[in-house]
Amino acid sequence: MAEHAVHSPLPGIFYRKPSPDAEPYAEPGSRVTADQTIGLVEVMKQFAEVKAGVDGTLVSFAVETEQVLSPGQQIATIEVD
């Protein structure tokens, strides 16, 4: 099956959850849709949603929560349907 790499749209800090006490947007092994949010990138208190981009199964995250990202850095891998 084909794999799709999800990349950071901008530099910032990556978060897998909408808030510290919330559940993660998605876990490895879960089904995702193209328009589903899988994380957030924060830059100067502004948050940008990171969408899956394809329908499939989230294989893994390439970064940890609260990791600093560079623009274009890979965030996750999705196995495409």
Side-chain angles (χ1 to χ4, degrees):
M1 293 198 143
E3 289 189 341
H4 170 75
V6 179
H7 295 95
S8 178
L10 54 146
I13 300 172
F14 179 70
Y15 297 96
R16 289 184 51 202
K17 304 189 286 186
S19 67
D21 57 341
E23 293 295 317
Y25 286 108
E27 292 285 357
S30 64
R31 301 265 316 137
V32 294
T33 60
D35 62 344
Q36 181 176 339
T37 301
I38 62 168
L40 299 172
V41 176
E42 181 235 339
V43 180
M44 299 177 65
K45 304 300 179 198
Q46 298 292 318
F47 292 87
E49 293 182 337
V50 176
K51 304 287 185 175
V54 295
D55 294 340
T57 302
L58 178 62
V59 176
S60 64
F61 282 97
V63 295
E64 298 295 324
T65 294
E66 298 185 18
Q67 182 174 330
V68 176
L69 300 174
S70 299
Q73 184 174 345
Q74 184 171 340
I75 292 174
T77 301
I78 297 172
E79 189 173 272
V80 181
D81 287 343

